[in-house]
Amino acid sequence: MKKVLIILSIISSTVLGREMHLVEFSANSPEERSLISNVIHLDGMNGDTVFSMVNDHDLNQIISYIPFLLSNVTTFKIEDNPGQEEEYPQGDEKYYTYAEMVEKFRELEKSYPEFVRMFSIGKSFEGRELWALHLTYQKVKKSKPGILITGSHHAREHLSTDVPLRIAERFIKNSSNMNVQELLLNRDIYFLPMVNPDGAMWDIRGRNYKIWRKNMRSAGRAAYGVDLNRNYSHGWGGPGSSDRAASDIYRGVSPFSEPETQAIKKFVEENENINVLLSFHSFSELILYPWGNTNSPIPNERDRRAYERMAEEMSRWNDYRPMQASELYVASGDTCDWAWADHQIFCFTFELSPQYQWGPGGFYPGSEAIDPAVNDNYDPVVYLINLADNPYKVID
Ligand code: 0X9
Ligand code: ZN
């Protein structure tokens, strides 16, 4: 019996009793940042200092491979999970849990049946439905250009669920507005606010944040998780991703090895009308576009001009900084590299607010961060919905 208990506590300690380390580096060039992002994932930067919250495994990797860039380490104890309650910690209850999101979808579908439909694109690793909203007048049957807007590939980036969900809600409630009417008649608009519901709900379980990033794929009984934003196919396995399961940028055993990314792949393949994709993440206030896995720009000048113009226009509303994703750091297997390379879908990653916050707090900016982030990003989303018929119209 004792033996069983010891084994169980070892297994659970790999999931529960964790330490996370705030590591600081001095690195002022994209080259130096990419040296770091080859080993771990980066969370924020301020001038020539960058930082990341890493687990034990990743700290060891840093010490082995890039000790010369390391300037400081502060260790945080992640509290053990005291219960099963899937609710946000006190003060943050305004954020949508998975159950609340499903309820909200039901309510919107019921209130606006002519143009709101909820549907699932598949199931997560733990078996949760991956719920999406389809906004379009169902009775108008013609081919319509499509757009997909996603959130929470990464578990701890909860704001990236609330922003698309609340933007969808505002858009629906604005349906008497002429411009919104027009778009509901002429576009297929898809919102998928929680790509990684297992990870997101694990991150809040017991009302304790766990700074969890990946999905909940497990080896035996211990979750190690796959970084869903390293699991797409274009350039999979390249720089800025890891083949080690314990790494926070673990890419999985093969491209699309995860049910969550597989479901997105299948959905996009089945809906060839999707021309634009927006993937919400947090944080740093950035607008990122391909490529992310190489410093080379995308090859065609016309495409590049369209991307740059779109990013510039959107930054006027949200004041986020536009850049090629690899300029932040090089990372392989992300959503946008795949969407662009395999489907010629104009794809942006938005890193939401805050622009900068030292330590783990950037992922948990409190409920007061929700409304400003929704306000800042409503117009960029409507702009992209509009452009889905022909993104090149921004330069033609
Ligand atoms: O590293 C990521 O997956 C994204 N940042 S996050 O802090 N939300 O994890 C950025 C992905 C952008 N793509 C590349 N830099 N390749
Ligand atoms: Zn992210």
Side-chain angles (χ1 to χ4, degrees), residues 18 86 88 98 124-126 128 130 152-158 161 194-205 208-217 223 225-226 228 260 364:
R18 290 181 302 130
E86 269 178 23
Y88 281 85
Y98 177 75
S124 67
F125 181 81
E126 290 179 345
R128 288 180 177 83
L130 300 172
S152 282
H153 272 76
H154 291 140
R156 60 196 172 198
E157 297 169 14
H158 302 287
T161 285
M194 224 186 263
V195 170
N196 178 13
D198 301 348
M201 291 305 96
W202 165 249
D203 192 58
I204 65 168
R205 193 164 312 161
N208 253 313
Y209 287 131
K210 298 173 190 64
I211 325 183
W212 188 256
R213 173 175 168 90
K214 302 184 286 179
N215 78 347
M216 294 303 284
R217 176 169 292 279
V226 170
L228 297 178
E260 295 86 358
Y364 307 114

Side-chain angles (χ1 to χ4, degrees), residues 233-253:
S233 55
H234 182 77
W236 181 89
S241 70
S242 171
D243 61 355
R244 299 167 71 120
S247 162
D248 245 354
I249 49 170
Y250 177 47
R251 58 186 171 239
V253 291

Side-chain angles (χ1 to χ4, degrees), residues 84-308:
Q84 289 302 308
E85 203 186 349
E86 269 178 23
E87 180 49 273
Y88 281 85
Q90 213 180 356
D92 280 1
E93 294 92 343
K94 186 173 169 186
Y95 284 89
Y96 277 97
T97 64
Y98 177 75
E100 288 163 353
M101 176 184 80
V102 176
E103 204 183 302
K104 176 55 77 179
F105 278 11
R106 293 222 163 92
E107 184 192 307
L108 289 168
E109 188 182 51
K110 204 161 161 231
S111 308
Y112 302 88
E114 328 80 62
F115 60 84
V116 178
R117 179 179 69 94
M118 71 185 276
F119 68 107
S120 165
I121 65 159
K123 280 190 162 65
S124 67
F125 181 81
E126 290 179 345
R128 288 180 177 83
E129 297 289 352
L130 300 172
W131 289 111
L133 274 191
H134 182 189
L135 311 186
T136 197
Y137 276 105
Q138 302 292 340
K139 283 204 180 123
V140 183
K141 296 206 188 309
K142 58 174 183 178
S143 86
K144 303 170 190 168
I147 176 168
L148 172 63
I149 298 154
T150 67
S152 282
H153 272 76
H154 291 140
R156 60 196 172 198
E157 297 169 14
H158 302 287
L159 189 59
S160 78
T161 285
D162 265 63
V163 165
L165 179 41
R166 288 169 192 272
I167 286 176
E169 188 178 2
R170 186 182 294 186
F171 190 77
I172 292 165
K173 292 189 169 157
N174 278 347
S175 60
S176 57
N177 170 296
M178 284 291 285
N179 184 29
V180 174
Q181 273 282 321
E182 164 97 15
L183 294 174
L184 285 168
L185 285 165
N186 294 302
R187 299 285 182 275
D188 276 319
I189 307 162
Y190 300 102
F191 283 91
L192 176 65
M194 224 186 263
V195 170
N196 178 13
D198 301 348
M201 291 305 96
W202 165 249
D203 192 58
I204 65 168
R205 193 164 312 161
R207 309 195 70 177
N208 253 313
Y209 287 131
K210 298 173 190 64
I211 325 183
W212 188 256
R213 173 175 168 90
K214 302 184 286 179
N215 78 347
M216 294 303 284
R217 176 169 292 279
S218 44
R221 296 177 59 164
Y224 58 81
V226 170
D227 183 345
L228 297 178
N229 214 28
R230 301 291 182 276
N231 191 240
Y232 290 84
S233 55
H234 182 77
W236 181 89
S241 70
S242 171
D243 61 355
R244 299 167 71 120
S247 162
D248 245 354
I249 49 170
Y250 177 47
R251 58 186 171 239
V253 291
S254 56
F256 296 111
S257 56
E258 302 313 294
E260 295 86 358
T261 48
Q262 257 168 45
I264 290 178
K265 175 177 189 280
K266 184 163 169 280
F267 177 71
V268 167
E269 284 172 358
E270 286 170 359
N271 292 277
E272 286 176 5
N273 61 334
I274 293 177
N275 297 326
V276 178
L277 198 161
L278 171 57
S279 180
F280 280 107
H281 284 253
S282 71
F283 59 98
S284 290
E285 300 192 348
L286 303 169
I287 297 176
L288 307 173
Y289 50 84
W291 303 120
N293 74 327
T294 167
N295 288 315
S296 313
I298 54 168
N300 180 308
E301 210 228 302
R302 186 169 135 81
D303 295 336
R304 214 157 55 227
R305 275 197 7 250
Y307 263 113
E308 284 167 5

Side-chain angles (χ1 to χ4, degrees), residues 13 29 48 80 103 170 198-199 223 240 246 255 268 271 300 302 306 309 321 335 357 361 389-390 394:
S13 73
S29 64
D48 59 0
D80 269 7
E103 204 183 302
R170 186 182 294 186
D198 301 348
V268 167
N271 292 277
N300 180 308
R302 186 169 135 81
R309 174 62 66 80
R321 210 171 126 207
T335 312
Q357 162 127 28
D389 63 338
N390 173 20
V394 295

